[in-house]
Amino acid sequence: MDANTEPIIRVEDLTVAYGNNVVLEDVNFEVRPGEIFVILGGSGCGKSTLLKHMISLQEPVKGRILIDGKDVVTAEGFELLEIFRRIGVMYQHGALFGSMNLLENVCLVLEEFTSLPRAAMETIALMKLNIVGLADSAYKMPSELSGGMKKRAAIARAMALDPKILFLDEPSAGLDPITSAQVDELILKLSRNLKMTFVIVTHELPSIFTVADRVIMLDKNAKTIIAAGTPDELRDKSDNPWVRRFFNRQADDGMSE
Amino acid sequence: MAHIDYQVLREGELEIVVTGRLDTETTGRFWSQVVRKITETRPELLIVEASGVEYCDGAGVALLLRLKHTQEENGRQIQIKGLQSQFEQLMALFDPGRIEKTEQKNTSLTSFVEDTGQVTFRLLQDFKSQVSFIGELSVKLWHALIHPGNLRWRDTFLIAEKSGANAVGITALLGFLIGLILAFQSAVAMRKFGAEIFAADLVTISLFRELGPLLTAFVLASRSGSAFAAELGTMKVNEEIDALTTMGLDPVGFLVVPRVIAAVFVTPLLTMFNNFFGLIGCGLVMTSIGFAPVAVLNQIREAAYLGDLFGGLVKTLVFGTLIAGIGCLRGLQTGTGASAVGDSATRAVVSSIVAIVMADGVFAVGYYFLGI
């Protein structure tokens, strides 16, 4: 990865709070194009909150979040839609529309944003479903799918408009190790072949070591990033004992709390 | 910008020259044109000259794949020449092959018979589940009556407050307006016979015997019946009902019985409010067309007997049971998915209203033979 490339996402001095309860304070980081960037941390440290701010679902107290040079915090109307066209989001439980089959789920965003004929949309939807291995299930309803299939279908839907960046919220949570490994494989395949940038929120260690190029680690007490680097660096070289314990899966002995 | 050119090389051979950017926008413009051209000319060999393609996104790949599949399905040839290797890789990666659409429903006689059978079966099953639910509910209600200590009184009062006390305003308003309208309409008609004062009789008797109980039941069905169905339905979707069952708590006893008792308790009270405000509405019209308030009051007092009032109130006990019972049953029957809860609420209201009117008919016949 070329360290000099212009970052595709830049988060500057981000402070996030629910009422008076500050969740994150002065968070700064950058995501470079084409990398798989993992946001990590224990339960309740604000990982998903950070993600929701990056995709403009919530408004921060202060700070800027630039996606492709555009600030998502201040963006409104058409400008925001332009940003949404460039990103795809997979929600934790898939959030597929239950009243539509998978093909229609993927076609929906194409209908809204493009003027392609119906046959073209269906071909594109089938392609996207094929890449996640679900082309055979295109006419199934979400309720007929297993958890892992739902997540993969949600990735296909997020990819409908060929986004530059995919945000994945806990892609392997609640999946068995084999299915979880399949999702990891899919992420690597997409990253390699389509040069997509990934921002992934997770706390599944095996996934992190398989897919992550770079990791930032958030902490509930510090309310900011306590470590950043490659997964191996964090496991072996971090001077923060809590980070090392996290990576070595040791139970909390009360040292850092 | 992208550009597309067609060239018939020789009999049965068509060359398409694509240049520029094949993105969502340009592909959208080309798609129908290209597909039409292929179906019209039916070339044995289609050559796609793609060395001039600078960029190709999902839509561009989709177009190329579509051409490939159209040719292959008809046993014809395709050659894609000069496509940059990265786009070629995308094609290989995305190609879903041929996906059979799940078969459409055929509209033949067999499917009609099949549908009819299935609908009948579903109706019978629904009837069966209603009967078994009534049985279970009766047992649980009886149990609650003989062991009142086991009933969740706090929940019951809360539900009674929500579906009763909070509904007083709307019931009173509705009763008032219906009394007003009914008195006015009938007074106008009766004026021809000089019998306007009997409009008070008409309003009083119809409110006490029919309109009061029915209107209140409709309000309760649409307000609380649907709420019960939605609440229990959401609990079902969130697996809370399953949690209750595995914790050893019976969902019917835990959730349905308090709701039924609360509804049975509040329906007669709401009906009284409805009747009272209906009479006020009636009185208002009568005094405004020139009758002394005392005359109207006397007329109302002589029009109705206690039997009329209590006959109506007894009906409301049954209506209350039906509304809460059906609301809860529909809630417990909720399926999966976002629309399931909405469907349950709708079915709760519709079934309740049908059941209420049917029960009212039974009461009408019963009261006739009893001479009430």
Side-chain angles (χ1 to χ4, degrees):
Chain A
M1 186 70 49
D2 182 5
N4 297 323
T5 4
E6 190 65 19
I8 192 163
I9 303 174
R10 191 200 295 265
V11 173
E12 294 173 356
D13 302 326
L14 187 76
T15 298
V16 169
Y18 290 115
N20 288 328
N21 175 24
V22 176
V23 183
L24 295 168
E25 211 164 8
D26 288 327
V27 172
N28 285 285
F29 64 89
E30 286 174 354
V31 182
R32 294 191 283 264
E35 79 176 332
I36 301 181
F37 187 86
V38 170
I39 300 170
L40 190 66
S43 305
C45 70
K47 298 186 298 282
S48 293
T49 308
L50 177 58
L51 187 82
K52 285 201 171 127
H53 281 80
M54 290 169 81
I55 55 180
S56 184
L57 289 180
Q58 288 174 0
E59 211 171 300
V61 177
K62 92 180 167 64
R64 298 206 303 164
I65 300 162
L66 302 167
I67 291 184
D68 247 357
K70 294 235 169 63
D71 190 353
V72 299
V73 179
T74 53
E76 272 176 4
F78 188 69
E79 210 183 354
L80 194 60
L81 280 184
E82 277 296 300
I83 296 174
F84 283 153
R85 265 197 80 145
R86 273 177 244 167
I87 64 172
V89 186
M90 189 214 85
Y91 295 91
Q92 215 179 105
H93 301 287
L96 297 168
F97 303 116
S99 56
M100 306 174 185
N101 65 29
L102 294 193
L103 194 80
E104 289 163 339
N105 259 290
V106 183
C107 280
L108 184 69
V109 65
L110 293 167
E111 281 168 23
E112 289 301 313
F113 278 105
T114 70
S115 52
L116 291 167
R118 184 75 201 172
M121 287 184 208
E122 288 187 1
T123 313
I124 295 175
L126 275 177
M127 280 163 38
K128 307 287 155 138
L129 286 168
N130 180 60
I131 207 167
V132 299
L134 286 175
D136 293 335
S137 309
Y139 295 95
K140 283 189 180 156
M141 302 302 278
S143 54
E144 298 172 68
L145 304 182
S146 68
M149 288 163 98
K150 275 185 196 155
K151 292 207 179 193
R152 283 188 283 146
I155 293 180
R157 187 179 67 179
M159 284 168 43
L161 286 171
D162 296 314
K164 284 181 166 179
I165 312 166
L166 269 189
F167 292 89
L168 311 182
D169 193 0
E170 311 245 359
S172 39
L175 302 181
D176 68 80
I178 298 171
T179 318
S180 165
Q182 283 173 353
V183 173
D184 292 344
E185 278 302 309
L186 173 64
I187 293 169
L188 284 174
K189 181 163 108 176
L190 296 175
S191 161
R192 269 198 301 265
N193 294 298
L194 305 178
K195 312 274 183 298
M196 275 180 178
T197 309
F198 280 86
V199 177
I200 304 174
V201 165
T202 186
H203 45 221
E204 303 278 317
L205 278 177
S207 289
I208 295 161
F209 283 107
T210 315
V211 300
D213 291 323
R214 268 190 325 132
V215 178
I216 58 168
M217 189 149 182
L218 301 174
D219 183 64
K220 200 167 159 183
N221 300 317
K223 295 185 170 96
T224 187
I225 300 171
I226 52 166
T230 67
D232 291 333
E233 279 170 10
L234 260 59
R235 182 187 54 195
D236 302 328
K237 296 178 192 157
S238 173
D239 41 15
N240 187 326
W242 195 81
V243 175
R244 281 204 308 276
R245 255 205 331 276
F246 187 100
F247 274 86
N248 292 306
R249 292 205 66 174
Q250 288 167 350
D252 196 353
D253 57 7
M255 267 169 66
S256 70
E257 290 282 327
Chain B
M1 271 310 289
H3 197 74
I4 224 162
D5 270 325
Y6 308 94
Q7 202 178 353
V8 180
L9 295 177
R10 64 179 85 98
E11 186 62 31
E13 265 184 41
L14 178 72
E15 188 183 49
I16 300 181
V17 183
V18 194
T19 47
R21 289 174 61 84
L22 268 186
D23 56 19
T24 314
E25 199 185 323
T26 50
T27 311
R29 272 188 277 126
F30 289 147
W31 188 283
S32 317
Q33 185 194 348
V34 175
V35 172
R36 200 178 330 118
K37 186 84 182 171
I38 304 294
T39 29
E40 276 169 10
T41 52
R42 302 162 171 275
E44 279 309 314
L45 175 63
L46 176 69
I47 299 167
V48 181
E49 175 51 53
S51 50
V53 174
E54 299 157 11
Y55 172 81
C56 187
D57 69 359
V61 173
L63 179 63
L64 295 175
L65 283 174
R66 172 61 192 260
L67 294 179
K68 182 168 166 253
H69 290 162
T70 315
Q71 286 296 94
E72 283 170 358
E73 277 161 26
N74 295 311
R76 305 192 199 113
Q77 304 274 311
I78 183 166
Q79 282 177 13
I80 298 175
K81 283 183 180 169
L83 187 66
Q84 287 181 37
S85 67
Q86 47 167 334
F87 303 139
E88 227 164 38
Q89 278 171 11
L90 278 187
M91 266 186 81
L93 195 67
F94 275 130
D95 192 352
R98 194 171 160 67
I99 301 298
E100 287 297 325
K101 207 165 182 170
T102 38
E103 54 181 276
Q104 297 285 325
K105 270 195 169 175
N106 54 352
T107 49
S108 64
L109 184 70
T110 43
S111 79
F112 174 74
V113 174
E114 195 184 318
D115 286 349
T116 315
Q118 274 180 350
V119 169
T120 317
F121 182 70
R122 269 205 301 275
L123 280 176
L124 286 176
Q125 265 201 329
D126 190 41
F127 183 69
K128 186 183 154 199
S129 66
Q130 286 184 31
V131 170
S132 70
F133 180 76
I134 290 170
E136 192 180 354
L137 182 60
S138 312
V139 171
K140 298 284 156 58
L141 278 174
W142 178 249
H143 188 78
L145 274 180
I146 45 177
H147 303 287
N150 290 351
L151 185 69
R152 298 178 58 82
W153 284 108
R154 235 173 71 87
D155 283 1
T156 313
F157 281 126
L158 262 177
I159 296 160
E161 186 191 336
K162 261 166 90 175
S163 47
N166 296 352
V168 167
I170 180 78
T171 323
L173 177 71
L174 209 65
F176 176 75
L177 290 176
I178 288 293
L180 198 88
I181 295 162
L182 201 59
F184 180 71
Q185 299 275 37
S186 45
V188 169
M190 287 178 177
R191 176 171 292 166
K192 289 180 192 159
F193 311 101
E196 288 129 301
I197 187 70
F198 293 108
D201 294 50
L202 188 149
V203 174
T204 312
I205 293 173
S206 48
L207 267 180
F208 280 12
R209 293 185 71 109
E210 289 298 332
L211 278 179
L214 274 181
L215 277 176
T216 314
F218 289 163
V219 168
L220 204 72
S222 48
R223 253 187 112 258
S224 306
S226 59
F228 293 164
E231 195 179 346
L232 267 61
T234 311
M235 290 181 76
K236 177 88 186 287
V237 172
N238 289 342
E239 297 179 324
E240 288 172 49
I241 306 271
D242 296 344
L244 279 177
T245 314
T246 49
M247 278 152 63
L249 297 166
D250 168 51
V252 173
F254 193 83
L255 298 169
V256 183
V257 170
R259 281 170 175 74
V260 171
I261 291 181
V264 169
F265 180 65
V266 300
T267 329
L269 296 177
L270 284 177
T271 309
M272 305 250 275
F273 269 102
N274 188 77
N275 290 348
F276 178 66
F277 280 91
L279 292 183
I280 291 181
C282 168
L284 201 69
V285 171
M286 298 306 285
T287 46
S288 69
I289 58 175
F291 292 102
V294 181
V296 180
L297 205 62
N298 277 334
Q299 194 68 26
I300 287 175
R301 205 184 299 156
E302 280 166 29
Y305 303 100
L306 272 184
D308 294 324
L309 178 66
F310 285 110
L313 290 182
V314 166
K315 289 202 279 195
T316 63
L317 297 176
V318 176
F319 294 167
T321 317
L322 284 172
I323 292 163
I326 291 172
C328 293
L329 172 68
R330 294 307 184 205
L332 291 175
Q333 285 174 337
T334 302
T336 51
S339 60
V341 176
D343 291 343
S344 294
T346 309
R347 288 176 64 200
V349 175
V350 174
S351 316
S352 301
I353 287 177
V354 172
I356 289 163
V357 175
M358 279 164 63
D360 195 47
V362 174
F363 270 110
V365 177
Y367 282 174
Y368 173 76
F369 283 111
L370 291 173
I372 298 172

